Amino acid sequence: MDIKIRHVEGVTVLDLSGKITMGEGSGQLRSALQDALTAGSKKILVNLGGVSYVDSSGLGELVGGYTTVKNAGGEMKLLNLSKKVKDLLVITKLLTVFDVSEDEATAIASFS
Amino acid sequence: MTEPTTDHVTLHLASVLPSVETVEQTAESFAQRAGFDEDDIGHIALVCREAAVNAVVHGNKYDPGKEVTADFDLTDDALSVRIGDQGAGFNPNELPDPLAEENLLRTSGRGVFLMRAIMDEVHFRQLTPGTEITLKKHRIAREADK
């Protein structure tokens, strides 16, 4: 999995591409989130537009990242879920946990 | 020439993560031949992947002395996938409910739940040693077969 980092209006945007699965991408997202927190960022938008595939380990990675950011006093939101990923979040009720958006500008504006 | 709509394959795999990819790709191939729609094909491949991960990681614990077996059976009625490991076994009835409020933020424990949500039938069988899980999805009749 590839992660590119950019900053937009005080929000750290992580652009993910590839897969988040057991054996591929696992651990990378949590590391990137930890780095962002260490750098002082409290507003993190995870762009999943380039993520082609997520398994239950990948869901765990997203949940773990969310908890890490929240425990550090920050906010983590998701952007551009594919239908496949969204279906999984619906089935597992994780869509009730995450703040999800399909538009970056709207997502950026929604951070407190 | 039309592709055969029944088939059977048994794989004997090492307890390594690339075996998970093999199971997933084989499941996808069988699901395509079964005539499932794109969403179902993806979901079936995913839960077969989940079962294979469980066998490699939790069952066999990557032990090179233990193998994973994956049996794919396509009949006119259904696609059945049986995945077995040689581990210590476990009780699937003792798995926490990942939809329960207190478990929603757990970072693991959703694999078996996804299998049950997506497949029509999920059965566990204790082996000596190990565990075998059977995942079954009933087929849709293809237009060509009607």
Side-chain angles (χ1 to χ4, degrees), chain A residues 63 92 94 97, chain B residues 95-110:
Chain A
V63 169
T92 56
L94 287 174
V97 169
Chain B
L95 295 171
D97 176 9
L99 298 189
E101 201 63 39
E102 66 272 18
N103 295 329
L104 269 185
L105 293 184
R106 286 172 65 115
T107 57
S108 63
R110 294 178 178 86

Side-chain angles (χ1 to χ4, degrees), chain A:
Chain A
M1 182 175 67
D2 191 45
I3 303 179
K4 289 184 167 47
I5 303 168
R6 53 192 172 91
H7 303 278
V8 181
E9 297 174 29
V11 174
T12 296
V13 181
L14 303 182
D15 295 311
L16 274 55
S17 58
K19 300 179 182 181
I20 317 176
T21 62
M22 169 69 77
E24 191 173 342
S26 56
Q28 280 179 264
L29 175 60
R30 210 90 66 89
S31 293
L33 290 169
Q34 196 56 61
D35 289 346
L37 290 169
T38 303
S41 179
K42 294 279 196 242
K43 301 176 186 179
I44 302 172
L45 182 62
V46 179
N47 181 6
L48 298 174
V51 172
S52 56
Y53 193 85
V54 173
D55 67 3
S56 69
S57 298
L59 293 178
E61 187 79 351
L62 289 171
V63 169
Y66 171 86
T67 304
T68 297
V69 173
K70 193 174 178 190
N71 288 345
E75 292 176 88
M76 179 184 123
K77 304 191 182 202
L78 303 181
L79 174 68
N80 290 333
L81 271 56
S82 67
K83 182 181 182 304
K84 264 187 189 175
V85 175
K86 195 168 185 178
D87 281 350
L88 286 185
L89 291 187
V90 168
I91 293 170
T92 56
K93 269 181 72 174
L94 287 174
L95 207 58
T96 65
V97 169
F98 292 107
D99 196 337
V100 175
S101 182
E102 291 173 9
D103 175 73
E104 182 170 311
T106 305
I108 300 263
S110 72
F111 282 90
S112 52

Side-chain angles (χ1 to χ4, degrees), chain B residues 119-135:
Chain B
M119 302 303 276
D120 294 323
E121 296 177 38
V122 177
H123 304 289
F124 289 87
R125 189 166 72 101
Q126 293 305 310
L127 306 173
T128 40
T131 303
E132 178 187 83
I133 180 168
T134 301
L135 307 171

Side-chain angles (χ1 to χ4, degrees), chain B residues 11-24:
Chain B
L11 305 175
H12 296 273
L13 302 164
S15 300
V16 293
L17 286 181
S19 295
V20 170
E21 306 294 331
T22 302
V23 169
E24 184 179 8

Side-chain angles (χ1 to χ4, degrees), chain B residues 7 21 30 32 37 40 46 54-55 61 77-78 82 92 105-106 114 116 122 129-132 146:
Chain B
D7 201 356
E21 306 294 331
F30 268 75
Q32 282 170 340
D37 66 32
D40 277 345
L46 171 66
N54 283 354
K61 300 193 190 313
D77 171 57
R82 275 204 311 255
L105 293 184
R106 286 172 65 115
L114 285 172
R116 287 173 168 151
V122 177
T131 303
E132 178 187 83
K146 288 182 187 166

